[in-house]
Amino acid sequence: MRGCRAGRDSSQPKGSSTVPPAQEFGDNPVGVRETGHYTEEYVPSFVEKWDSLIDWEKRAESEGNFFIDLLRKRGVKSVLDVATGTGFHSVRLLSAGFETVSADGSAEMLAMAFENGTKQGGHILRVVQADWRWLNRDVHGEYDAIVCLGNSFTHLFSERDRRKALAEFYAMLKHDGILVLDQRNYDAILDDGYTSKHTYYYCGDDVTVEPEYVDEGLCRMRYSFADDSVYHLNMFPLRKEYARRLMSDVGFQRIETYGDFQHTYRGEEPDFLVHVAEKEYRMDDAEEARYSGAVNTARSYYNSSDADTFYATVWGGEDIHIGLYESPGEPIADASARTVRRMASKLEPALTPESVVLDLGSGYGGSARYLAETYGCRVLALNLSEVENRRHKELNSARALTGRIEVVDGSFEEIPYPDSSVDVVWSQDAFLHSGNRVQVLAEIARVLRPGGRLIFTDPMAADGCPAGVLQPVLDRIHLDDMGSPAFYTRELTRLGFSPVDGGFEEHRGQLVTHYARVLEETGRQEAEGLARKVSHDYLAQMKKGLGHWIDGGREEHITWGVFHFELGDDGGASTVGVNSE
């Protein structure tokens, strides 16, 4: 709650018997939405109560060493605390051995912080009164880390001010510096109402904190103390993805978001979010360099907490692909499992306990577990999302299948297995995420044994689809184009494959039904609190994207179905050098 407060000229001396100045919000408090008004909100009597709101001892216990460990892990030595307030984090940073400069816009807050520093371990705080929007003017030097804690950033009501402040933070960081910025979880407040356990941030027992008024442009918080005094703060309700986007826009390269000091979170939404934004631009990042642009985009998407939670709770859980429906209202999970059974039945009797199946884009592993349990075969599960792979391994362990399923981080554009090493290649709705599908098919031909089977599904452009009509779908999945039935048939034939049972079993109507069911289920779960688990922005974009898929299918511009091909006895080794469409 300690914002970029420019100094307030208080003529009220300490110890005076005169009644201290009250907060002023005018005749329409909910109409006060200016960045500069915070200078009128932190009156001396409110500042004096701030430590009873936090309760230093309980706050330290609940927070633990989260921030200390985070900074040490990144080799931080110098820290600029730009929202010092009464000094809680500055004192903790000094005690942990960090070189710390303490900045705040409020002279009242800084005076109390300086006093707290001497009381809490004999620290002499280096304090600077500064406004974030002109931080480089008031504070000098470069720092390994800037911390902006206590929900302070939400005192900025203007997007221009928010961008300016973030740009100032960015400029004061060293080339490999980090910004640590926290905020209330306003998504949950805006979408589902306010709940607070007071577990982490506001630990005091003699104060009640709750929103008095909330809309998309204002969250007016009320602080009621045991002596019947009441104070208010007007703040801008930052949505999580909006805050992350602003940090990215000003130049921060990587942004991680923690919920109540947890790296990932599901179920009940956290009270507070902590963003960790890295300035460093890595030219040769080992993880990202492994993947092409399109594949890395997909990897980042499926690794996000929003996508992970959405697909696990809405899209079917274990099977996150298009289903085969017997009725339009059938549960998504049932239809998705039917797709797996249909595909597996096409491979009989080729699937045996001696078979090795390579599952490309294995997701949470529903197909791999079905194949391993039903046919006893060994499954190599290759998938680009480390987050999905962790869940996959957990589900395998729970079903005692760890020994039969090998889960591997990787891309199907460079399959990490030897030539002629697998009997079956299996994939569901994954190849569209590649920017080089010719290379994917060549890699499949390389690793399949002669006579091996390839079975896969993929959402595609229909043959003869007019140019440009799929742009809304392509924009949503960040791709330049999609495959088509003719494309896959042509390329597989060139690579030495022959169709089995016609090669392609089309189910365009099932694509429409599936995306309509996902859209329906999204709306149903959203009404029951899904926005506490998944951000508002993500859900809005997901629903918009689902609509584009449905429209494309109904207009017969998009199709979907099951491909089934067999590799010839000569294999595909002679053609694996092709790598462009």
Side-chain angles (χ1 to χ4, degrees):
M1 292 291 185
R2 308 177 306 278
C4 66
R5 298 174 288 278
R8 181 186 58 78
D9 182 13
S10 174
S11 59
Q12 178 63 32
K14 284 191 175 183
S16 170
S17 60
T18 305
V19 176
Q23 291 179 311
E24 294 291 342
F25 288 94
D27 296 332
N28 182 23
V30 300
V32 178
R33 304 178 184 213
E34 297 86 28
T35 294
H37 191 267
Y38 54 74
T39 62
E40 305 301 323
E41 297 174 13
Y42 287 93
V43 295
S45 56
F46 190 20
V47 171
E48 290 171 2
K49 292 181 177 294
W50 200 255
D51 286 343
S52 64
L53 169 67
I54 295 174
D55 192 323
W56 282 40
E57 184 176 347
K58 290 183 179 178
R59 172 73 173 274
E61 181 180 352
S62 65
E63 183 179 294
N65 287 325
F66 175 82
F67 292 111
I68 304 300
D69 292 343
L70 186 154
L71 297 175
R72 283 177 174 162
K73 180 181 178 181
R74 289 167 171 79
V76 168
K77 294 181 179 179
S78 60
V79 182
L80 174 60
D81 181 359
V82 295
T84 297
T86 58
F88 175 78
H89 283 107
S90 284
V91 170
R92 294 209 76 196
L93 291 169
L94 286 166
S95 298
F98 294 98
E99 302 168 11
T100 306
V101 173
S102 306
D104 202 286
S106 167
E108 292 282 348
M109 284 284 199
L110 287 174
M112 185 167 290
F114 191 88
E115 184 177 340
N116 282 333
T118 60
K119 290 179 179 179
Q120 304 282 344
H123 301 290
I124 305 299
L125 268 63
R126 297 165 57 194
V127 298
V128 182
Q129 190 171 350
D131 188 306
W132 296 340
R133 294 165 292 182
W134 297 276
L135 192 63
N136 284 263
R137 178 195 65 188
D138 300 330
V139 182
H140 303 290
E142 289 185 332
Y143 298 84
D144 297 320
I146 290 177
V147 298
C148 179
L149 304 177
N151 196 43
S152 307
F153 198 70
T154 61
H155 284 300
L156 300 174
F157 276 89
S158 159
E159 178 163 324
R160 180 179 179 182
D161 287 340
R162 289 189 283 272
R163 289 182 178 275
K164 181 68 166 68
L166 287 171
E168 291 285 303
F169 296 164
Y170 186 92
M172 295 202 70
L173 286 169
K174 295 179 182 178
H175 77 280
D176 57 352
I178 62 168
L179 168 66
V180 184
L181 184 151
D182 72 6
Q183 64 168 99
R184 275 191 180 276
N185 184 357
Y186 288 107
D187 289 270
I189 294 174
L190 288 165
D191 297 334
D192 298 294
Y194 176 77
T195 61
S196 177
K197 304 175 292 297
H198 299 290
T199 304
Y200 297 105
Y201 275 75
Y202 301 120
C203 302
D205 294 327
D206 63 344
V207 59
T208 300
V209 184
E210 57 189 348
E212 188 172 89
Y213 176 88
V214 179
D215 64 30
E216 288 286 344
L218 174 71
C219 180
R220 179 171 168 81
M221 299 296 295
R222 180 174 62 209
Y223 302 80
S224 305
F225 292 87
D227 62 1
D228 295 328
S229 60
V230 176
Y231 297 89
H232 295 85
L233 291 175
N234 281 12
M235 291 164 289
F236 179 80
L238 280 172
R239 287 193 177 273
K240 179 183 73 174
E241 292 305 321
Y242 170 73
R244 287 169 55 90
R245 187 171 70 249
L246 284 182
M247 286 183 272
S248 177
D249 286 349
V250 302
F252 287 102
Q253 297 297 307
R254 292 167 182 79
I255 303 159
E256 290 186 287
T257 299
Y258 300 76
D260 285 344
F261 315 129
Q262 300 297 315
H263 187 59
T264 59
Y265 47 90
R266 299 189 182 94
E268 186 177 358
E269 278 287 276
D271 280 348
F272 275 75
L273 303 168
V274 181
H275 305 293
V276 181
E278 300 180 6
K279 180 176 179 177
E280 181 177 9
Y281 185 81
R282 298 191 184 105
M283 294 295 292
D284 297 307
D285 182 89
E287 285 296 318
E288 294 191 5
R290 295 170 58 194
Y291 306 113
S292 69
V295 172
N296 203 44
T297 297
R299 171 176 171 260
S300 298
Y301 171 78
Y302 286 108
N303 273 341
S304 71
S305 61
D306 277 341
D308 181 40
T309 304
F310 181 84
Y311 283 93
T313 58
V314 176
W315 201 283
E318 291 197 37
D319 298 295
I320 51 176
H321 48 74
I322 293 173
L324 291 170
Y325 291 79
E326 293 184 343
S327 64
E330 186 176 11
I332 294 170
D334 292 353
S336 298
R338 185 175 295 112
T339 304
V340 177
R341 295 195 299 273
R342 174 78 66 86
M343 292 173 65
S345 69
K346 289 177 176 294
L347 296 172
E348 296 175 350
L351 290 175
T352 69
E354 288 71 42
S355 300
V356 178
V357 179
L358 173 60
D359 184 358
L360 299 178
S362 55
Y364 296 133
S367 301
R369 282 185 291 280
Y370 177 81
L371 294 170
E373 287 181 325
T374 306
Y375 301 97
C377 54
R378 180 174 174 232
V379 182
L380 311 175
L382 183 70
N383 194 53
L384 54 82
S385 168
E386 295 87 354
V387 171
E388 289 181 346
N389 291 345
R390 282 196 293 271
R391 187 195 293 268
H392 184 169
K393 291 176 182 177
E394 291 170 0
L395 293 170
N396 291 347
S397 178
R399 301 253 283 269
L401 290 171
T402 301
R404 300 213 62 81
I405 302 174
E406 177 181 304
V407 182
V408 179
D409 300 340
S411 166
F412 39 50
E413 291 181 354
E414 294 185 18
I415 298 174
Y417 291 105
D419 296 357
S420 303
S421 58
V422 302
D423 302 293
V424 174
V425 172
W426 171 295
S427 183
Q428 291 178 266
D429 306 346
F431 295 162
L432 80 160
H433 291 300
S434 171
N436 193 345
R437 298 177 195 93
V438 170
Q439 176 68 14
V440 174
L441 298 179
E443 280 286 273
I444 291 170
R446 179 182 65 79
V447 299
L448 263 178
R449 295 188 178 108
R453 299 289 186 91
L454 165 63
I455 191 162
F456 70 97
T457 62
D458 206 38
M460 301 164 288
D463 291 334
C465 176
V469 299
L470 296 183
Q471 199 59 48
V473 173
L474 295 173
D475 288 344
R476 164 66 182 165
I477 55 180
H478 304 287
L479 288 174
D480 295 329
D481 58 20
M482 300 174 73
S484 67
F487 161 77
Y488 282 120
T489 300
R490 181 184 71 246
E491 291 302 316
L492 288 170
T493 300
R494 182 182 63 79
L495 288 165
F497 285 88
S498 301
V500 178
D501 297 330
F504 177 54
E505 180 182 286
E506 188 169 26
H507 294 284
R508 178 188 289 118
Q510 294 287 356
L511 178 144
V512 175
T513 300
H514 181 82
Y515 283 107
R517 278 292 293 118
V518 174
L519 181 58
E520 178 186 13
E521 184 66 15
T522 301
R524 185 188 70 78
Q525 291 200 31
E526 193 172 12
E528 296 178 356
L530 181 63
R532 288 195 299 269
K533 305 176 183 178
V534 180
S535 74
H536 174 85
D537 285 352
Y538 180 90
L539 290 175
Q541 291 300 315
M542 174 59 74
K543 290 186 290 186
K544 182 179 179 180
L546 290 169
H548 291 321
W549 282 102
I550 294 167
D551 292 343
R554 287 174 175 166
E555 293 166 4
E556 300 188 357
H557 296 150
I558 295 174
T559 191
W560 176 85
V562 182
F563 289 89
H564 187 194
F565 281 75
E566 182 178 42
L567 184 63
D569 290 339
D570 293 337
S574 63
T575 56
V576 297
V578 180
N579 60 11
S580 61
E581 291 188 50

